[in-house]
Short mmCIF file of all heavy atoms in Angstrom, two decimals:
data_model
loop_
_atom_site.label_atom_id
_atom_site.label_comp_id
_atom_site.label_asym_id
_atom_site.label_seq_id
_atom_site.Cartn_x
_atom_site.Cartn_y
_atom_site.Cartn_z
N ALA I 340 85.63 135.19 82.62
CA ALA I 340 84.68 135.30 83.73
C ALA I 340 84.88 134.16 84.73
O ALA I 340 84.80 134.35 85.95
CB ALA I 340 83.25 135.30 83.20
N ILE I 341 85.15 132.97 84.18
CA ILE I 341 85.39 131.82 85.04
C ILE I 341 86.67 132.00 85.85
O ILE I 341 86.71 131.78 87.07
CB ILE I 341 85.46 130.52 84.21
CG1 ILE I 341 84.09 130.20 83.61
CG2 ILE I 341 85.93 129.35 85.07
CD1 ILE I 341 83.01 129.94 84.63
N TYR I 342 87.75 132.42 85.18
CA TYR I 342 89.00 132.67 85.90
C TYR I 342 88.80 133.72 86.99
O TYR I 342 89.28 133.57 88.13
CB TYR I 342 90.10 133.13 84.93
CG TYR I 342 90.83 132.02 84.24
CD1 TYR I 342 90.78 131.89 82.85
CD2 TYR I 342 91.58 131.10 84.96
CE1 TYR I 342 91.47 130.86 82.20
CE2 TYR I 342 92.27 130.07 84.32
CZ TYR I 342 92.21 129.95 82.94
OH TYR I 342 92.89 128.94 82.31
N ASP I 343 88.10 134.79 86.65
CA ASP I 343 87.88 135.86 87.62
C ASP I 343 87.10 135.35 88.83
O ASP I 343 87.43 135.66 89.98
CB ASP I 343 87.13 137.02 86.95
CG ASP I 343 86.95 138.19 87.89
OD1 ASP I 343 87.96 138.78 88.31
OD2 ASP I 343 85.80 138.51 88.23
N THR I 344 86.08 134.53 88.57
CA THR I 344 85.28 133.99 89.67
C THR I 344 86.09 133.06 90.56
O THR I 344 86.05 133.15 91.79
CB THR I 344 84.06 133.22 89.11
OG1 THR I 344 83.26 134.13 88.34
CG2 THR I 344 83.22 132.63 90.23
N LEU I 345 86.84 132.15 89.94
CA LEU I 345 87.64 131.20 90.71
C LEU I 345 88.72 131.90 91.52
O LEU I 345 88.91 131.59 92.71
CB LEU I 345 88.27 130.16 89.77
CG LEU I 345 87.30 129.19 89.10
CD1 LEU I 345 88.02 128.34 88.05
CD2 LEU I 345 86.64 128.27 90.14
N PHE I 346 89.44 132.81 90.90
CA PHE I 346 90.48 133.53 91.63
C PHE I 346 89.89 134.39 92.75
O PHE I 346 90.47 134.51 93.83
CB PHE I 346 91.31 134.39 90.68
CG PHE I 346 92.39 133.64 89.95
CD1 PHE I 346 92.47 133.67 88.57
CD2 PHE I 346 93.32 132.88 90.65
CE1 PHE I 346 93.47 132.98 87.89
CE2 PHE I 346 94.32 132.18 89.98
CZ PHE I 346 94.39 132.23 88.61
N SER I 347 88.73 135.01 92.49
CA SER I 347 88.10 135.85 93.52
C SER I 347 87.74 135.03 94.75
O SER I 347 87.86 135.50 95.89
CB SER I 347 86.84 136.52 92.95
OG SER I 347 87.17 137.42 91.91
N GLN I 348 87.30 133.79 94.53
CA GLN I 348 86.97 132.92 95.65
C GLN I 348 88.21 132.59 96.48
O GLN I 348 88.11 132.22 97.65
CB GLN I 348 86.34 131.62 95.15
CG GLN I 348 84.96 131.77 94.54
CD GLN I 348 83.94 132.26 95.56
OE1 GLN I 348 83.88 131.76 96.67
NE2 GLN I 348 83.14 133.25 95.17
N LEU I 349 89.39 132.73 95.87
CA LEU I 349 90.65 132.43 96.56
C LEU I 349 91.34 133.71 97.03
O LEU I 349 92.51 133.68 97.42
CB LEU I 349 91.58 131.66 95.62
CG LEU I 349 91.07 130.29 95.15
CD1 LEU I 349 91.94 129.76 94.02
CD2 LEU I 349 91.07 129.30 96.32
N ASP I 350 90.62 134.84 96.99
CA ASP I 350 91.17 136.14 97.38
C ASP I 350 92.37 136.54 96.54
O ASP I 350 93.34 137.12 97.04
CB ASP I 350 91.54 136.15 98.87
CG ASP I 350 90.32 136.02 99.77
OD1 ASP I 350 89.27 136.58 99.41
OD2 ASP I 350 90.41 135.36 100.81
N VAL I 351 92.31 136.21 95.27
CA VAL I 351 93.37 136.57 94.32
C VAL I 351 92.74 137.40 93.21
O VAL I 351 91.62 137.10 92.75
CB VAL I 351 94.05 135.31 93.73
CG1 VAL I 351 95.05 135.71 92.65
CG2 VAL I 351 94.74 134.52 94.82
N THR I 352 93.44 138.43 92.77
CA THR I 352 92.95 139.27 91.67
C THR I 352 93.65 138.86 90.38
O THR I 352 94.87 138.64 90.37
CB THR I 352 93.23 140.75 91.95
OG1 THR I 352 92.61 141.13 93.19
CG2 THR I 352 92.69 141.64 90.83
N SER I 353 92.88 138.74 89.31
CA SER I 353 93.45 138.39 88.01
C SER I 353 93.19 139.53 87.02
O SER I 353 92.32 140.39 87.25
CB SER I 353 92.85 137.09 87.47
OG SER I 353 91.44 137.22 87.31
N SER I 354 93.94 139.54 85.93
CA SER I 354 93.77 140.56 84.90
C SER I 354 93.89 139.91 83.53
O SER I 354 94.54 138.88 83.38
CB SER I 354 94.85 141.64 85.05
OG SER I 354 96.14 141.07 84.93
N GLN I 355 93.26 140.51 82.53
CA GLN I 355 93.26 139.94 81.19
C GLN I 355 94.13 140.79 80.27
O GLN I 355 94.04 142.02 80.26
CB GLN I 355 91.85 139.88 80.63
CG GLN I 355 91.79 139.42 79.18
CD GLN I 355 90.37 139.29 78.67
OE1 GLN I 355 89.64 138.41 79.06
NE2 GLN I 355 89.98 140.20 77.77
N LEU I 356 94.98 140.11 79.49
CA LEU I 356 95.80 140.78 78.48
C LEU I 356 95.68 139.99 77.18
O LEU I 356 96.14 138.86 77.09
CB LEU I 356 97.27 140.87 78.91
CG LEU I 356 97.53 141.70 80.17
CD1 LEU I 356 97.65 140.79 81.39
CD2 LEU I 356 98.81 142.52 80.01
#
Side-chain angles (χ1 to χ4, degrees):
I341 293 297
Y342 276 118
D343 184 63
T344 299
L345 291 173
F346 278 125
S347 295
Q348 292 297 314
L349 297 169
D350 294 324
V351 175
T352 302
S353 61
S354 60
Q355 175 177 290
L356 297 98

